[in-house]
Every structure is written in C-alpha cells, then in structure tokens.
Amino acid sequence: MSSNLTLYVDSRFFSPYAMFAFVALTEKKIPFAIEKIDLVNNAHHTSGYQHLSLTGRVPTLAHGDFSVSESSAIIEYLDDAFPAPHHLAVLPASLRDRARARQLQAWLRSDLMPLREDRPTTVIFQQPSALPLSPSGQAAAQQLITVASSLINDAGDNLFGAWSIADTELALMLNRLVLNQDPVPPSLKTYVARQWQRPSVQAWIRQQG
C-alpha cells in the first residue's frame, strides 16, 4: 500500500493526541509529511480543513485521497493499513492485551479531566505549574496512580511486554505529575522515564524546537 501520508498537527506541537499519531507513524517507519495547523488563529475552522478532517480537529491523517481524524482511529487505521510483519504493530498482538490497551486509551481520553485542567500539556512541553493540585485534581491523580500501579510492575517495564502505543499514552498522562514534581511512586517514575526516552517520543519533542 502506498505511503503517501500527511499528518496534520497543531503548530506548537502541544497536542498529546497529535503526538500519539506521530509516534505511531515513526515507530512503524512509514515516511510521512507534517502540516502544521495554527489552532490559535483558528486555522482548524477553515472550510478546507473542516472538509479534510470532518471534525475540524488535530491530528488528521491524510493517506492519498482518504483522511481520518481522532488519534485512536488514526492509530488503528495505521495498524490495519501497514500491518506486521512488514511494519511494527503499535497495538498489542494478543487479543486480550489489545482490548486492554484500547480500554486504557479510551479511559485516558475520556476521564481525569480535573487532572488535565490542573496539569495541562504545557506542564510537559513548556513549563511546570506553580499551583497545587485542586481537591478534584488530587482525586484524579490518585485514580491514575492506582490504575497505573495495577498495570506496571516494580521494574517499570512496558505494559504488555513489548512496547505499544498505550505505553506512550499512559506515560504522557503520568508525566503531567512527574514533571510537575507531584508525588508519584518510584516504579511509575521509572516507567515514565523509560518511555520518555524512546526515540519516537524524543523525535516529537525535537519538533518543538
């Protein structure tokens, strides 16, 4: 299948969802171009981008004459369009592990809003927040830590043995706390540090320069 791919991302490279799509493409070693969308000046609301994206959001992946937005849909499309063994699978191979990864991805996207409000992605990509966690933020942080601790062993290894995109997504959410020096168990700090040094993640961070 042709790899005529373009990934549309936010111009400041702050979107975690654009990051996940970028990491998936990079891990699969598929050539792709990047187009930056200026969200501050509402470039995502132009008719051209609305037509391309359907929902007017980033990221959007264009593959020839087809386009799809929403990072989870992009990730699953890439695994289907560019399958193993020729390309690395970014979702787990096992049926049950893949279901668990999708469960975790959905939960990270739909829950923990107080934590995302108290520790936005600017904490990760720009500078820490001087404000303490709110009571609801503390509750969300504890929920995140409880779930992550049940999935990650004391050595801080990958979730499912081999790396998957769920590792990047969980590590980013935990990094909202780690980089702000909020309390996080040592095993989770080890896990985050390992995931953050992955070359595909570092390649995204370098885009911000």
Side-chain angles (χ1 to χ4, degrees):
M1 181 174 287
S2 169
S3 57
N4 180 23
L5 293 161
T6 300
L7 182 66
Y8 293 79
V9 305
D10 61 299
S11 58
R12 296 194 298 170
F13 293 89
F14 280 3
S15 166
Y17 308 110
M19 173 183 163
F20 303 151
F22 175 96
V23 167
L25 282 159
T26 303
E27 291 284 349
K28 293 181 84 67
K29 301 187 185 306
I30 307 169
F32 66 100
I34 291 178
E35 288 287 342
K36 294 182 284 188
I37 302 298
D38 187 353
L39 303 184
V40 174
N41 289 311
N42 295 316
H44 55 308
H45 292 320
T46 63
S47 59
Y49 188 71
Q50 287 276 358
H51 177 73
L52 179 75
S53 173
L54 185 64
T55 56
R57 300 174 70 174
V58 295
T60 291
L61 177 73
H63 185 194
D65 61 356
F66 173 74
S67 59
V68 61
S69 60
E70 305 299 330
S71 59
S72 57
I74 290 170
I75 288 163
E76 293 193 21
Y77 175 77
L78 289 171
D79 257 3
D80 290 341
F82 302 93
H86 300 295
H87 298 276
L88 175 72
V90 296
L91 288 166
S94 157
L95 175 65
R96 292 185 177 185
D97 286 347
R98 195 160 59 249
R100 183 69 71 207
R102 286 169 171 157
Q103 176 190 6
L104 185 59
Q105 289 176 293
W107 178 68
L108 290 170
R109 284 165 171 73
S110 64
D111 210 329
L112 308 173
M113 181 57 73
L115 175 58
R116 293 202 294 270
E117 290 175 347
D118 287 358
R119 299 291 181 260
T121 48
T122 51
V123 163
I124 298 172
F125 298 127
Q126 195 169 38
Q127 62 185 7
S129 171
L131 299 175
L133 287 167
S134 64
S136 57
Q138 290 177 21
Q142 187 54 56
Q143 185 182 17
L144 172 64
I145 288 169
T146 298
V147 170
S149 297
S150 73
L151 295 170
I152 297 168
N153 62 26
D154 290 342
D157 295 326
N158 293 327
L159 288 166
F160 307 109
W163 173 88
S164 77
I165 193 66
D167 286 298
T168 300
E169 298 194 20
L170 179 58
L172 183 138
M173 187 62 78
L174 287 166
N175 228 357
R176 295 174 189 269
L177 299 172
V178 172
L179 290 178
N180 219 78
Q181 299 186 350
D182 295 304
V184 175
S187 61
L188 299 187
K189 287 184 178 180
T190 298
Y191 170 78
V192 169
R194 287 177 176 170
Q195 298 300 330
W196 219 245
Q197 288 307 309
R198 196 164 182 89
S200 57
V201 174
Q202 287 297 306
W204 172 263
I205 293 170
R206 286 194 298 273
Q207 298 292 324
Q208 297 169 8

